[in-house]
Amino acid sequence: MNDQLFSVPGISCGHCATAIRHEVGAVPGVRHVDVDLAGKTVRVTGGEERAIRAAIAEAGYEAA
């Protein structure tokens, strides 16, 4: 299964990362979530892109 990389310019702290990991990790099919604060990216293994984007939005952030 391929990784998907999302740019999330609004992430800036550990709380942001935790919120995103929690919401995206609950998406069916997602096996791994890695948040890179310095790069402001979220790498996700598994899951559907639309559902992942919705989960990032639910956490309070926008995937560019």
Side-chain angles (χ1 to χ4, degrees):
M1 192 166 283
N2 293 335
D3 286 354
Q4 300 177 73
L5 184 65
F6 300 89
S7 174
V8 186
I11 58 176
S12 60
C13 66
H15 173 74
C16 302
T18 299
I20 290 171
R21 276 191 212 99
H22 176 77
E23 292 295 335
V24 174
V27 172
V30 168
R31 294 189 329 218
H32 183 75
V33 181
D34 181 49
V35 179
D36 177 0
L37 292 176
K40 298 189 180 296
T41 60
V42 178
R43 184 176 302 275
V44 182
T45 303
E48 294 183 8
E49 180 182 351
R50 187 174 71 222
I52 294 166
R53 287 184 180 276
I56 291 171
E58 184 66 28
Y61 304 92
E62 182 178 348

